[in-house]
Amino acid sequence: MTQIRLALAQIDTCVGDLSGNARMILEYSRRAHDGGANVVVFPEMTLTGYPIEDLALRGTFRRAAWDKANEVAACLRGEGLGDLYVIAGTVGTDHGNDKPRNRLVVLHDGVVWAAYDKHFLPNYGVFDEFRIFSPGDRCLVLDIKGVRVGVAVCEDIWQDGGPVAELAGRGVDVLVTINGSPYEEGKTHTRLDIARRRGAEVGAPVVYVNQVGGQDDLVFDGASFVIDVSGEVVLRSPMFVEDMSYVSVDSDGGVAHDGPVAADLDPDEEVYLACVLGLRDYMRKNHFEGVCLGLSGGIDSALVAVMAADACGGENVHGISMPSMYSSDGSRDDAAVLAGLIGASLDVRPIEPLFTAFQGELHLEGVAEENLQARIRGVIVMAFSNSRGLLALATGNKSELACGYSTIYGDAVGGYAPIKDLLKTRVWELSRWRNKAASRGIGVGGALPSSRGAVSIRPVDPSGLVIPESSITKPPSAELRPGQKDSDSLPDYAVLDKVLAAYIEHAHGRADLLADGFDADTVDTVMRLVDRAEWKRRQYPLGPKVTALAFGRDRRLPITSAFRE
């Protein structure tokens, strides 16, 4: 019997940063070697970042990535690490048709020692790989010090047949899969179920290494794991942070591990941390050091502000209070209290003088008058963003976005929308969770510990709150006219969100919704609002996907459509 030691390198890469990603491969390979590993396993498309989308179609990019892979291999040998087997992802080329391939490479002894091309190319949800890549047509078994290692890339283990079925007849001792699997609620258990099925199929342990970090509107949660031949989880990396862990596998399929099994997170904590990581990485990778946003005193802007403070530190959050003649004293006070709790600056800019000037020329009434207020606020937010180099945050939630209950070029302005994929009821739930976390001593900036991009941690208020309780409990209102409440225009959020979940995420039509028990008036109102708002959603800023079906890549409907139920 022989044994090899594998290091699981759960890292946060950046699309297109070939040099930066290469440095990380070298850094973690050194750590793996120092930790006694024979093999270090990185996520899918480590060298290029993932997903690279149409960058894959550029021959210059593919050649640069391939040159960088060879450069990394040579550097490893030059540093005396040539005996290490480095399994990583990159982009390759199918020289038969000049199309790109999603490629796993093994760097060893100064060269690209072996390569395997992803067989199954996902073409659903956020994935569009079938259009971009050419599929591989073979499996690969590596003999590393007498241990037979079968390899796969992400989707290869999600589908029946293909390379895993072939590996089942090849007598592998361990199945290693590299992954770029985006986060969504409940997905960690689905991954485990899939891995157990493939492990049983090949009769061997499974080593599953996943990417971590934010990339545009996707968040990768990491949560890498190892299961033994019986399907038991023997090692699991923490979620949402970079990590290096070790496992030993022998030629009889036995597993010995060094690291702990990370505990499951509270569901609210999972979603909250996903949103914070998405924002943090969007800022870091696009070189923003601070954010600005309108602070109305309402729950949506409060939650976004706290997420931003956790992502970049409260001192880098610049709130703008823009009261109108309809703003309540309570809302103004709540905005000021929130800024104090998270250590953000607050600039008060009343909009009434600007509103009066516009009305002197335009004489608007009704909804147009209300939207004018929102658009004045949008101009102010963007002026702060442009003049100070800050990332402007949109504060709308998924319920509003679904129903078009936002003003285009008004409260919809911004470069990133942290709660875009959270229904209103979820916003309240996460706000309560964050206050509970604060009561346990998790100060602002401390919600997401990380080895990179660390922020200063501000102690919580003695009350144990980071969000004023009144922002959570008061009836939601846009305060664009006297006495206005969201319920004047929308069904109660407790009902609305259930209808939206069924209509959007489960694609239930009118008959299905009625069968679900919703009343006809509510169903007709919600469907009409959602169907008419597609044009607004197309112009809304990107934000982190945390549900099974987010607006954007997941749901692609025509703006111009005459179909009505």
Side-chain angles (χ1 to χ4, degrees), residues 95-108:
H95 294 292
N97 58 19
D98 201 38
K99 283 193 68 175
R101 285 193 167 187
N102 185 329
R103 181 161 291 172
L104 175 153
V105 293
V106 184
L107 310 181
H108 177 66

Side-chain angles (χ1 to χ4, degrees), residues 247-562:
V247 66
S248 295
V249 178
D250 61 48
S251 54
D252 289 341
V255 177
H257 59 93
D258 291 0
V261 176
D264 290 332
L265 298 180
D266 176 274
D268 291 338
E269 182 177 12
E270 264 193 28
V271 174
Y272 185 89
L273 295 184
C275 293
V276 172
L277 180 57
L279 173 57
R280 175 184 287 186
D281 266 11
Y282 188 81
M283 292 182 66
R284 181 173 63 87
K285 294 174 183 180
N286 289 286
H287 312 294
F288 286 102
E289 295 184 357
V291 302
C292 62
L293 73 159
L295 282 182
S296 67
I299 190 58
D300 295 321
S301 64
L303 181 60
V304 170
V306 175
M307 286 178 170
D310 281 333
C312 66
E315 67 276 12
N316 295 309
V317 177
H318 303 269
I320 313 164
S321 173
M322 296 169 282
S324 74
M325 48 284 189
Y326 304 125
S327 298
S328 67
D329 290 340
S331 292
R332 301 182 200 204
D333 292 344
D334 286 341
V337 169
L338 174 79
L341 289 172
I342 65 175
S345 65
L346 184 66
D347 200 315
V348 181
R349 299 279 175 168
I351 67 167
E352 189 168 357
L354 292 171
F355 176 78
T356 300
F358 271 104
Q359 281 292 71
E361 297 292 330
L362 299 176
H363 311 292
L364 302 176
E365 299 178 352
V367 172
E369 179 185 6
E370 294 177 18
N371 288 345
L372 175 60
Q373 297 168 61
R375 291 188 174 119
I376 290 171
R377 291 179 172 128
V379 168
I380 294 171
V381 170
M382 291 310 299
F384 268 68
S385 172
N386 293 159
S387 63
R388 303 185 185 189
L390 302 170
L391 174 63
L393 300 181
T395 61
N397 60 64
K398 191 173 187 177
S399 304
E400 296 172 343
L401 193 57
C403 296
Y405 194 64
S406 64
T407 302
I408 200 78
Y409 320 123
D411 53 301
V413 302
Y416 197 79
I419 62 171
K420 176 182 180 179
D421 200 25
L422 300 180
L423 293 169
K424 184 75 171 190
T425 48
R426 203 76 175 100
V427 169
W428 280 313
E429 289 167 354
L430 296 196
S431 299
R432 294 187 183 100
W433 174 84
R434 188 60 184 91
N435 273 350
K436 287 180 183 177
S439 70
R440 297 195 302 269
I442 300 178
V444 172
L448 185 65
S450 176
S451 58
R452 290 194 295 140
V455 298
S456 58
I457 299 177
R458 177 186 173 88
V460 294
D461 185 84
S463 66
L465 299 178
V466 291
I467 297 175
E469 187 64 26
S470 55
S471 291
I472 299 175
T473 57
K474 67 186 174 186
S477 169
E479 295 190 331
L480 295 175
R481 63 176 183 268
Q484 182 186 37
K485 292 183 175 60
D486 289 7
S487 55
D488 298 338
S489 305
L490 299 174
D492 182 81
Y493 282 116
V495 175
L496 172 63
D497 286 357
K498 291 177 182 177
V499 179
L500 291 175
Y503 185 44
I504 295 167
E505 297 188 21
H506 301 291
H508 284 195
R510 186 176 188 276
D512 303 313
L513 293 170
L514 294 176
D516 291 336
F518 300 113
D519 71 85
D521 288 344
T522 300
V523 167
D524 291 341
T525 297
V526 173
M527 291 181 66
R528 173 176 51 81
L529 290 171
V530 172
D531 292 349
R532 290 183 177 180
E534 185 63 32
W535 69 279
K536 285 189 178 182
R537 290 190 287 272
R538 292 285 186 94
Q539 300 182 64
Y540 205 79
L542 79 166
K545 166 185 162 64
V546 295
T547 66
L549 197 151
F551 291 124
R553 302 185 197 220
D554 277 331
R555 188 176 189 266
R556 307 175 193 182
L557 292 176
I559 294 174
T560 304
S561 172

Side-chain angles (χ1 to χ4, degrees), residues 75-296:
C75 285
L76 288 167
R77 182 172 62 179
E79 294 186 18
L81 306 180
D83 58 338
L84 186 66
Y85 293 83
V86 177
I87 298 176
T90 187
V91 64
T93 300
D94 182 340
H95 294 292
N97 58 19
D98 201 38
K99 283 193 68 175
R101 285 193 167 187
N102 185 329
R103 181 161 291 172
L104 175 153
V105 293
V106 184
L107 310 181
H108 177 66
D109 198 23
V111 297
V112 177
W113 185 69
Y116 162 79
D117 294 322
K118 188 175 182 178
H119 178 77
F120 288 114
L121 302 173
N123 195 46
Y124 56 85
V126 301
F127 302 107
D128 198 16
E129 290 194 16
F130 189 78
R131 181 179 66 85
I132 298 170
F133 295 110
S134 178
D137 56 5
R138 65 186 182 92
C139 70
L140 176 64
V141 179
L142 309 169
D143 191 319
I144 300 178
K145 299 185 180 300
V147 177
R148 293 174 60 78
V149 180
V151 298
V153 179
C154 206
E155 189 72 13
D156 290 336
I157 72 166
W158 287 76
Q159 305 296 332
D160 293 329
V164 177
E166 224 180 307
L167 290 171
R170 299 281 294 274
V172 299
D173 300 315
V174 61
L175 173 62
V176 171
T177 173
I178 65 173
N179 305 270
S181 180
Y183 172 77
E184 63 186 52
E185 290 184 83
K187 193 173 184 181
T188 53
H189 299 294
T190 305
R191 291 183 195 137
L192 277 172
D193 291 342
I194 291 293
R196 288 184 175 117
R197 286 170 55 188
R198 298 305 165 224
E201 187 175 355
V202 299
V206 176
V207 175
Y208 181 105
V209 179
N210 193 31
Q211 177 178 337
V212 69
Q215 174 60 40
D216 293 341
D217 53 350
L218 299 182
V219 180
F220 299 89
D221 54 302
S224 303
F225 61 86
V226 178
I227 59 172
D228 65 16
V229 71
S230 71
E232 181 183 354
V233 178
V234 296
L235 184 149
R236 181 166 57 206
S237 301
M239 300 179 74
F240 305 115
V241 293
E242 293 180 311
D243 183 69
M244 174 81 92
S245 54
Y246 298 89
V247 66
S248 295
V249 178
D250 61 48
S251 54
D252 289 341
V255 177
H257 59 93
D258 291 0
V261 176
D264 290 332
L265 298 180
D266 176 274
D268 291 338
E269 182 177 12
E270 264 193 28
V271 174
Y272 185 89
L273 295 184
C275 293
V276 172
L277 180 57
L279 173 57
R280 175 184 287 186
D281 266 11
Y282 188 81
M283 292 182 66
R284 181 173 63 87
K285 294 174 183 180
N286 289 286
H287 312 294
F288 286 102
E289 295 184 357
V291 302
C292 62
L293 73 159
L295 282 182
S296 67

